[in-house]
Amino acid sequence: MRKTFLSQNPSVMWFIAFLGLFTLAVAIGSEATGTGLISTSMVKTLGKTLCLCLIAIAMDVVWGYCGILSLGHFAFFGIGGYAIGMWLMYARTEGIVMTSLEGHVIPPTPQEVQDAIGNQIFGVVGSSDFPWLWAFSDSLFLQLLMVVIVPGLLALVFGWLAFRSRVTGVYLSILTQAMTLALSLWLFQNDSGLRGNNGLSGLQNIPGYEDTSQATTSLVFFMGSALALALGYILFAWVVSGKMGSVVQGIRDNEARVRFLGYRVERYKLFIFTLTAVIAGIAGALYYPQAGIINPAEIAPIASIYLAVWVAIGGRGRLYGAVIGAAFVSLLSSWFTGGGAPAINLGFYTILWTDWWLVLLGVSFVCVTLFFPKGIGGLFDYLVRKPS
Amino acid sequence: MFRHLLMLLCWVGIVGAAQAQDLQPVLQGHAEEIAKPSRSSVSVALDDLAASGAPQVSVFLEQWQDKGVWQREADGVFFFGTETGDDLTLRDIDTGAESSAPTNGFSQLKPNGGVRRLIGTALVQFQLTDPDLARRQSAVDSIARRPEADQLGPLRASIEAEPDAALKARKIQLTNFLSASFGDTSEERIAAITSMATDTSIEARAVMNQILSTKTATPSQTPSGNVARVLTSGDDLSQADAYAQLVAAGLAPTIISAAAIREALAAHVVGGRVGGIPTSQLDTDAGRAKAYAALAAAGTVPPLVTELDQQSAVADMNFYEVYDEPDSAVTDAARATLDSIETRVAAAQTVDLTLDALSLASIYFLAAIGLAITFGVMGVINMAHGEFIMMGAYTGYVVQLFVPDYTLSIIIALPLAFAVTFAAGVVMERLVIRHLYHRPLETLLATFGISIALQQLAKNIFGTQARPLTSPGWLDGAWVISDVIQISYIRIAIFVLALLFLGLILFVLKRTRLGLEVRAVTQNPGMAASMGINPDRINMMTFGLGSGIAGIAGVAIGLYAKVTSEMGADYIVQSFMTVVVGGVGNVWGTLAGASLIGFLQKGIEWFNPSNTLAAQTYMVLFIILFIQFRPKGIVAQKGRAAAD
Amino acid sequence: MNDTLLEVSGVSKSFDGFKAINNLSIQIAEPELRAVIGPNGAGKTTFMDIITGKTRPDSGHVVWGERNISLLGMSEADIANEGVGRKFQKPTVFEAQTVRQNLAMALKNPRGPLAVLLHRKTPSNAARIEGIAAEIGLTESLTRIAGELSHGQKQWLEIGMLLAQEPRLLLVDEPAAGMTVEEREKTTDILKRAAKTRAVVVVEHDMEFVRRLDCKVTVLHEGSVLAEGSLDHVTSNPKVIEVYLGRGHA
């Protein structure tokens, strides 16, 4: 079945092939393999970009295919990051605490170990007790499960409430934005149990692999991200092709018609919303160990809007468009804001791109919406179809 | 006793003011205490000074307090003196005759802070009857700041002759406070306390609370003293706290803490064993307890206080708090009065909260009404609405750079902000929105693009730090109704502005040609067009109007909050919620939405005052749930059109 | 005699005090072809909305099938799955998808997300699609994007989608609007053929089109039934004449 599906969708094959070559090239060029053509920080940036591409295709499915402009998918991304971050932080702190307690005449009791870890982690918010949220943080397996379950469950409950009462269009967008806002405000509180605005940090250190260099770790995560993107791409391409794709796009174009054809539109929306939320959570769980730190500002509503911007610029309704958009805009953004772009001297005024990049992005975004509703991906389509 | 003397003194002071009496002899009688005063010794001298009844006493005390009294070293006579270079200008204390002398032979009296305060207290008695109103005022204020028992007499005596009505009322109130705390008899105090039942001032509450102050009493089998509250172990008091009280009172042995056990064990390791137990087994609480028990049995460490020991120690004891005030009749009266005051305070707080919520609702209304017009009437989501608010606020700031008069600048800024944002809105409608009608999600995104561009642009022009938008002087301050209820004028102004806008918008929509055309286009664009209405023009005007109002809201918001490039973003989500909760396409709906959200936010903040973040979280969650049950908002559009 | 498939009795619905439907009672048999006519605002569209679950009536009953199920309170999708198909006034097909995809989506098959996700193309489904395409005259256009079709073809495609649903009751709202004469004839044929095996209710303005359908006619006025019978019978009814002409004079 997979075979027929792939042969029917050559663009998926092309994408996987390209991604494979790209991964291979980065692996060869990375410091971990000794050539050192690509710096470790660059490998991390590329790995993070792949994660952003993964959430971008999720966003594309939910918005470009199903027509739900969710301004909340970055919240799911963040939840995934927090879920894995809890384990990373707990396990690493446990290691540090055990080392510091070693050699004492009287061996520590489990309670003492727990208290010391709690003190280390929650000292910054003036607490030392473990909140109930951290109940499973000592188990990698359970926290990995959380990466999938928490975003999925939240999306399921929220989506069920919203779709059941037939909130659609702009209202739904604002509702998802409200959800994101509520989540980030909650996380900003010190007593949320997730270290308030300090967030979780030190996530780049993988417990159990303290002796492994960051060059190797980052390459492993890069390849992991590439694999996740490839699998995610195939999954979504499979979902949006065939009859499911027909129904989902039908919902986007004319919800009432689909309903009168006898499809329970709410269930389909819920399925898509939840599935993409889970993938967003996975993307986040891969992203934040590479970023090293996660804090509530990452989840602010603006992040989810940027996600929509990437997909729109890349081109909605085509998965590779979302990948192009996310990669292009996020890399360009870090180039501009990182001071990589040369300043332009107008004689009377010097344009510093750190100041003007957002203006440029905003204006170009308006232009894309107005003049190229199909985005960069649409241009790509045009070029590919031209010769035939 | 002293009080009677003072009363006599005051009486003497009033009746026999003319009677000349020399102060110097009295001073010489206490020369030692006056020249080298200490807090303990000076009070006798002060009493005698006051008792002398000499009119110069208050002047002397003031000078003494201000280090203006000098003593001639040769014979110990006191003078008022002013230092000029090496010389002193001296004034005789009784006659006022001036003379001059070199500083050498004199020493300045420098009472320390504690003594100066005592002098001040003594002075108050004189100042209370001073002919100068300001000095009487300050004397009363000083009593209010530091009420003391011996001030009651002079204060009470000064009421009768007080010419100023307001000050007289204040003196009576203060006398009540003092007699409540320091009255001679229980009856007097209870009468004073009862008379305060309607006084919601913070001072009155402080007096009551002071009378009702309690301390933890030593635990005992039978409570004694004026018992405020008996604490039951488990409910009011945890067992650990109860036991800690026993320990503090020396009635029970100290608990050996987990850390102390650990240290004790570590100190007694012998050959890898503690009390015969290998250290490797000490990684559990049970193991440690066992080892410690072995040590205790050998007598090397004090025995462990077990949970059971604590329980039995606590069980047959009573834990209670007693009032500092021994008289239970007084404390009962104070409790009753405080309850009555607190009921009134609660009522007043409700009023205050309502006013607060009302002003917050006005702000949300102002911020959202422009959005309601563009969103409701045209179905256009304008994510840059917040940036229009910001633009209005910066317009106000720029106007103030050129027009220094704040009143005038605000009068200029309001229409100018409207004009600027109206123009910006029209330009945006022409260039962007017009091409995106019937594609609401795309409009949302395009206007978001404009929003980030405008925000960054403002940052580039005005910098990242907050800019001031100063309100005119007559808007400073607050309308103080009582200690509990007060509302700043600026919020009243915003409330009035919101009302004005409500009226104005209703007028424009319901009574003008433009409003008629707007409603026509909203209901049926095709039909409107065929009636000769140009929908293009109407859309442009509507969008301009909505944006212009945002500009004015910006000036209003800028007056009480800071003007930053991000201020718009702070309001945009709330504004959307206001519109959505209220019901789209209806001015009254926006009003209802703004009120609901304003009151809700204040209400939640009241329940949880320390945590505004939590308040916002709960509010957003509430709104999400609210939309579940009323997807069309409070004031839903009705009719068949609404079904789709 | 035919069995009653749908029984609407005593249904009322008002919007803001305006009575769109007022104590309306209609019975539809299976098979049957029925035309519903009436002036603007007679409640024709609301009548369809109530049957298909889009609008809840204030009072009355809508009873369906042999087991006398009440359609009130059921969701649109459930009612559709019970066998009620609805065609909107404006052609609503999925313009971004091919004709084949449109028909495949409508084809009577399990409607759950999981079943749809795991759905595979089968020869029998393909044959059914071909059959319907032939019926509506779109065999040549199966691979075309629906958005490229002409107005009439879109109307037929929508009817085809309804047929693919295999409904027992077909509600058709002004199918002939905007069609050329030939297209109307073809539409009439499709509807008449469909009505041989199922109930078809056609709401129409156009008297000529109704005459061509040659069936029982129900005249709605102010939300209730004014007259019922053959076209000639109802057009000779003085009340009907008054309603139509009265409106015409105003």
Side-chain angles (χ1 to χ4, degrees):
Chain A
M1 180 170 176
R2 179 60 40 86
K3 236 175 197 165
T4 57
F5 159 71
L6 281 180
S7 58
Q8 277 173 3
N9 293 274
S11 74
V12 177
M13 302 272 267
W14 280 112
F15 178 79
I16 301 299
F18 177 77
L19 187 63
L21 284 177
F22 175 69
T23 310
L24 195 65
V26 171
I28 291 171
S30 75
E31 287 178 8
T33 50
T35 50
L37 295 169
I38 302 172
S39 70
T40 298
S41 71
M42 190 64 200
V43 173
K44 282 192 187 206
T45 304
L46 292 173
K48 285 191 287 180
T49 306
L50 291 180
C51 298
L52 296 178
C53 292
L54 181 55
I55 186 180
I57 55 173
M59 180 70 185
D60 195 15
V61 169
V62 79
W63 179 33
Y65 285 89
C66 198
I68 304 168
L69 176 49
S70 162
L71 297 179
H73 267 58
F74 228 87
F76 302 127
F77 187 80
I79 292 173
Y82 265 104
I84 197 67
M86 281 157 78
W87 176 76
L88 285 169
M89 204 157 173
Y90 180 89
R92 178 160 167 267
T93 313
E94 186 181 32
I96 293 169
V97 164
M98 292 312 270
T99 316
S100 76
L101 288 176
E102 235 165 58
H104 280 217
V105 184
I106 311 289
T109 61
Q111 189 57 43
E112 278 171 347
V113 173
Q114 198 74 357
D115 287 349
I117 298 172
N119 242 328
Q120 282 277 324
I121 296 181
F122 302 109
V124 284
V125 288
S127 170
S128 62
D129 297 331
F130 269 90
W132 59 270
L133 280 174
W134 290 67
F136 306 125
S137 58
D138 54 341
S139 156
L140 172 61
F141 173 73
L142 286 175
Q143 281 304 128
L144 283 177
L145 221 55
M146 291 297 143
V147 166
V148 177
I149 288 175
V150 179
L153 213 59
L154 180 62
L156 200 67
V157 171
F158 179 87
W160 183 76
L161 282 171
F163 301 141
R164 185 189 64 108
S165 45
R166 303 237 174 127
V167 181
T168 54
V170 174
Y171 284 83
L172 187 59
S173 302
I174 291 170
L175 211 58
T176 53
Q177 190 179 26
M179 177 200 78
T180 317
L181 183 69
L183 186 71
S184 74
L185 284 175
W186 179 70
L187 284 172
F188 264 118
Q189 295 170 49
N190 278 344
D191 53 9
S192 67
L194 290 164
R195 306 196 348 140
N197 62 352
N198 304 290
L200 308 181
S201 55
L203 310 184
Q204 72 277 19
N205 305 301
I206 311 304
Y209 294 90
E210 283 83 0
D211 302 331
T212 316
S213 72
Q214 278 295 313
T216 311
T217 312
S218 59
L219 183 65
V220 169
F221 267 96
F222 170 81
M223 298 207 295
S225 306
L227 182 68
L229 178 59
L231 293 176
Y233 197 97
I234 293 171
L235 172 72
F236 282 135
W238 175 60
V239 167
V240 300
S241 66
K243 197 168 171 188
M244 187 71 173
S246 277
V247 174
V248 165
Q249 290 171 66
I251 290 171
R252 174 192 65 192
D253 294 336
N254 196 331
E255 192 175 319
R257 176 77 271 175
V258 179
R259 193 169 276 133
F260 284 116
L261 281 180
Y263 292 94
R264 286 174 168 268
V265 167
E266 293 72 27
R267 292 186 187 172
Y268 284 83
K269 284 185 172 177
L270 199 56
F271 170 73
I272 294 292
F273 193 70
T274 308
L275 178 70
T276 53
V278 167
I279 300 293
I282 293 172
L286 281 164
Y287 180 93
Y288 285 105
Q290 302 180 68
I293 182 163
I294 179 169
N295 60 49
E298 304 268 330
I299 295 177
I302 191 90
S304 293
I305 303 186
Y306 277 121
L307 180 61
V309 170
W310 298 339
V311 174
I313 287 183
R316 269 172 295 159
R318 58 206 74 222
L319 292 178
Y320 57 88
V323 172
I324 293 170
F328 178 70
V329 182
S330 71
L331 287 177
L332 206 64
S333 175
S334 52
W335 186 60
F336 273 117
T337 53
I344 297 175
N345 196 337
L346 297 175
F348 58 93
Y349 186 82
T350 308
I351 294 180
L352 292 172
W353 284 113
T354 44
D355 286 344
W356 287 90
W357 155 244
L358 277 179
V359 179
L360 179 72
L361 179 68
V363 171
S364 52
F365 183 48
V366 175
C367 293
V368 165
T369 317
L370 280 180
F371 306 116
F372 309 102
K374 290 184 173 178
I376 303 172
L379 202 69
F380 198 64
D381 269 8
Y382 182 72
L383 290 176
V384 168
R385 291 214 182 131
K386 193 79 178 172
S388 65
Chain B
M1 178 64 199
F2 180 69
R3 213 166 57 81
H4 293 286
L5 264 177
L6 276 174
M7 284 177 78
L8 185 74
L9 164 101
C10 288
W11 187 78
V12 168
I14 295 159
V15 177
Q19 184 185 346
Q21 195 181 349
D22 283 352
L23 189 58
Q24 192 68 256
V26 187
L27 295 178
Q28 291 307 320
H30 296 284
E32 186 64 18
E33 292 97 318
I34 290 172
K36 299 257 179 298
S38 74
R39 282 186 63 181
S40 52
S41 64
V42 78
S43 54
V44 185
L46 284 173
D47 288 355
D48 280 3
L49 278 178
S52 75
Q56 306 92 316
V57 171
S58 78
V59 183
F60 175 78
L61 290 177
E62 276 168 33
Q63 288 289 340
W64 189 17
Q65 198 179 18
D66 292 347
K67 301 177 190 171
V69 174
W70 296 68
Q71 190 180 28
R72 188 153 64 200
E73 282 163 12
D75 53 7
V77 177
F78 296 101
F79 291 92
F80 299 139
T82 329
E83 212 170 1
T84 40
D86 288 342
D87 285 342
L88 269 178
T89 310
L90 295 172
R91 217 153 35 90
D92 187 275
I93 286 178
D94 288 319
T95 63
E98 295 206 6
S99 58
S100 185
T103 316
N104 277 354
F106 292 83
S107 59
Q108 191 181 10
L109 303 193
K110 294 177 178 168
N112 64 28
V115 172
R116 282 210 304 278
R117 257 203 310 283
L118 286 177
I119 298 174
T121 312
L123 246 178
V124 163
Q125 304 155 7
F126 297 96
Q127 288 169 340
L128 277 173
T129 51
D130 198 285
D132 183 7
L133 176 63
R135 297 184 77 164
R136 293 204 302 278
Q137 192 90 51
S138 80
V140 168
D141 289 347
S142 104
I143 293 178
R145 263 197 310 279
R146 297 167 20 80
E148 271 166 37
D150 49 11
Q151 291 156 338
L152 178 57
L155 183 64
R156 185 176 281 157
S158 73
I159 293 174
E160 192 67 34
E162 176 58 54
D164 185 84
L167 190 57
K168 189 170 184 174
R170 177 76 176 125
K171 278 182 171 176
I172 292 171
Q173 186 190 29
L174 209 51
T175 310
N176 263 333
F177 293 167
L178 286 178
S179 41
S181 302
F182 309 115
D184 279 337
T185 60
S186 294
E187 290 74 30
E188 187 191 339
R189 295 181 63 187
I190 291 168
I193 288 169
T194 321
S195 75
M196 286 159 62
T198 57
D199 188 343
T200 57
S201 67
I202 293 168
E203 281 178 326
R205 277 177 277 159
V207 168
M208 288 304 123
N209 281 320
Q210 212 215 321
I211 294 174
L212 292 173
S213 63
T214 59
K215 60 173 181 271
T216 308
T218 311
S220 64
Q221 254 102 10
T222 46
S224 62
N226 187 1
V227 177
R229 195 159 82 102
V230 176
L231 306 167
T232 39
S233 175
D235 289 340
D236 310 316
L237 195 66
S238 70
Q239 183 180 298
D241 288 344
Y243 191 80
Q245 276 192 26
L246 290 178
V247 173
L251 297 173
T254 319
I255 299 176
I256 317 291
S257 69
I261 292 175
R262 213 176 108 88
E263 268 165 40
L265 294 179
H268 294 93
V269 179
V270 183
R273 284 170 176 271
V274 182
I277 294 169
T279 51
S280 61
Q281 287 178 21
L282 296 180
D283 60 353
T284 62
D285 285 331
R288 287 184 186 184
K290 218 163 124 192
Y292 190 88
L295 288 183
T300 39
V301 293
L304 203 61
V305 181
T306 62
E307 184 72 20
L308 215 63
D309 295 341
Q310 290 182 38
Q311 241 170 42
S312 63
V314 166
D316 54 347
M317 277 293 182
N318 272 311
F319 298 88
Y320 59 103
E321 288 171 353
V322 292
Y323 290 115
D324 292 329
E325 168 66 48
D327 190 340
S328 67
V330 171
T331 49
D332 287 349
R335 171 64 59 202
T337 299
L338 190 60
D339 286 348
S340 133
I341 293 178
E342 270 166 0
T343 315
R344 277 157 195 279
V345 167
Q349 272 171 343
T350 314
V351 174
D352 189 51
L353 201 69
T354 311
L355 289 176
D356 258 9
L358 213 54
S359 70
L360 190 67
S362 318
I363 289 160
Y364 284 152
F365 177 75
L366 273 179
I369 184 64
L371 197 70
I373 291 175
T374 49
F375 185 23
V377 174
M378 301 165 69
V380 162
I381 277 278
N382 181 11
M383 292 292 276
H385 184 80
E387 276 56 50
F388 285 154
I389 291 178
M390 168 199 80
M391 222 186 261
Y394 274 118
T395 307
Y397 163 71
V398 172
V399 168
Q400 287 200 335
L401 291 183
F402 294 101
V403 184
D405 183 277
Y406 291 140
T407 307
L408 186 63
S409 66
I410 294 299
I411 292 173
I412 298 174
L414 284 173
L416 194 65
F418 183 86
V420 167
T421 47
F422 182 92
V426 167
V427 168
M428 190 165 124
E429 202 274 337
R430 287 288 92 184
L431 290 181
V432 181
I433 312 274
R434 190 162 58 105
H435 306 287
L436 296 173
Y437 283 127
H438 313 300
R439 288 156 71 192
L441 291 183
E442 258 110 299
T443 318
L444 191 153
L445 288 171
T447 51
F448 169 71
I450 295 169
S451 147
I452 49 175
L454 282 179
Q455 216 179 91
Q456 185 62 40
L457 211 57
K459 221 174 264 178
N460 293 351
I461 296 171
F462 296 102
T464 42
Q465 74 269 49
R467 297 289 174 181
L469 183 56
T470 317
S471 57
W474 49 271
L475 276 180
D476 286 346
W479 181 28
V480 181
I481 301 164
S482 78
D483 274 3
V484 188
I485 311 174
Q486 46 185 301
I487 179 161
S488 63
Y489 288 126
I490 205 130
R491 286 180 167 241
I492 297 177
I494 288 175
F495 178 67
V496 171
L497 199 65
L499 277 187
L500 274 176
F501 267 90
L502 176 65
L504 192 70
I505 288 160
L506 284 174
F507 176 77
V508 168
L509 284 181
K510 301 259 151 104
R511 291 272 183 276
T512 63
R513 177 81 196 163
L514 175 67
L516 184 71
E517 293 184 358
V518 165
R519 280 181 294 148
V521 171
T522 313
Q523 281 162 17
N524 193 336
M527 184 63 91
S530 69
M531 307 271 290
I533 298 170
N534 180 355
D536 249 22
R537 193 184 66 89
I538 292 298
N539 282 338
M540 196 173 79
M541 293 294 287
T542 313
F543 206 82
L545 184 69
S547 311
I549 293 170
I552 292 189
V555 176
I557 291 170
L559 282 178
Y560 91 103
K562 55 196 191 309
V563 182
T564 67
S565 60
E566 277 149 15
M567 67 182 287
D570 296 342
Y571 285 92
I572 188 73
V573 178
Q574 259 95 345
S575 300
F576 273 124
M577 309 236 172
T578 303
V579 175
V580 170
V581 166
V584 170
N586 190 311
V587 178
W588 295 111
T590 310
L591 188 67
S595 310
L596 180 74
I597 292 183
F599 276 83
L600 196 67
Q601 182 161 346
K602 280 291 157 196
I604 298 173
E605 272 176 26
W606 181 71
F607 274 113
N608 191 356
S610 61
N611 202 336
T612 49
L613 279 176
Q616 288 184 35
T617 314
Y618 293 136
M619 194 185 70
V620 174
L621 286 179
F622 171 82
I623 289 169
I624 291 175
L625 282 177
F626 179 86
I627 292 177
Q628 301 303 321
F629 296 107
R630 276 201 84 107
K632 301 279 175 199
I634 301 173
V635 183
Q637 263 182 337
K638 289 179 193 154
R640 204 157 59 166
D644 194 45
Chain C
M1 201 45 211
N2 296 331
D3 297 328
T4 302
L5 177 65
L6 178 76
E7 185 178 352
V8 175
S9 57
V11 169
S12 295
K13 172 75 191 175
S14 59
F15 296 105
D16 269 344
F18 166 68
K19 285 216 161 194
I21 296 284
N22 188 9
N23 199 18
L24 175 74
S25 299
I26 289 182
Q27 289 188 1
I28 310 285
E30 183 185 30
E32 185 188 354
L33 182 59
R34 175 78 66 95
V36 176
I37 61 171
N40 264 333
K44 293 173 307 221
T45 305
T46 309
F47 161 68
M48 285 197 164
D49 284 348
I50 286 173
I51 295 173
T52 52
K54 193 176 173 195
T55 303
R56 296 248 164 111
D58 301 329
S59 59
H61 304 280
V62 179
V63 180
W64 167 263
E66 297 79 22
R67 287 180 294 132
N68 292 333
I69 307 167
S70 170
L71 291 186
L72 302 181
M74 283 168 75
S75 74
E76 292 102 314
D78 286 339
I79 293 175
N81 289 332
E82 275 296 323
V84 179
R86 176 174 186 184
K87 194 204 148 309
F88 292 93
Q89 207 167 325
K90 272 191 249 166
T92 46
V93 296
F94 302 107
E95 308 216 341
Q97 304 188 33
T98 63
V99 172
R100 182 186 287 277
Q101 280 174 319
N102 267 286
L103 290 174
M105 210 195 300
L107 217 53
K108 189 177 172 75
N109 269 320
R111 297 294 205 223
L114 198 66
V116 167
L117 190 63
L118 302 174
H119 174 82
R120 296 191 64 183
K121 288 173 185 160
T122 60
S124 73
N125 280 340
R128 281 159 72 195
I129 291 175
E130 309 274 328
I132 290 164
E135 170 74 26
I136 56 174
L138 288 176
T139 311
E140 309 297 307
S141 311
L142 271 178
T143 54
R144 286 176 69 193
I145 300 289
E148 298 169 355
L149 299 178
S150 74
H151 176 80
Q153 285 174 316
K154 281 183 196 167
Q155 298 276 41
W156 294 330
L157 174 56
E158 197 178 355
I159 294 172
M161 286 163 73
L162 296 194
L163 295 177
Q165 263 180 277
E166 294 173 20
R168 298 175 65 187
L169 170 64
L170 210 54
L171 299 169
V172 188
D173 202 350
E174 303 198 14
M179 281 189 170
T180 62
V181 178
E182 300 93 89
E183 283 173 339
R184 280 168 190 235
E185 272 176 25
K186 195 169 159 189
T187 309
T188 322
D189 293 344
I190 294 174
L191 290 175
K192 278 174 134 173
R193 272 203 301 277
K196 282 187 182 132
T197 50
R198 53 174 68 82
V200 176
V201 175
V202 181
V203 167
E204 191 48 77
H205 262 318
D206 188 331
M207 285 298 180
E208 208 42 51
F209 187 82
V210 173
R211 185 171 301 283
R212 202 172 288 142
L213 284 177
D214 188 25
C215 64
K216 192 175 175 187
V217 173
T218 301
V219 184
L220 285 191
H221 176 56
E222 289 178 350
S224 45
V225 176
L226 189 66
E228 210 166 59
S230 73
L231 187 63
D232 292 329
H233 173 77
V234 297
T235 46
S236 60
N237 185 325
K239 279 193 285 179
V240 175
I241 294 170
E242 194 205 316
V243 165
Y244 271 85
L245 292 185
R247 291 224 161 201
H249 284 300

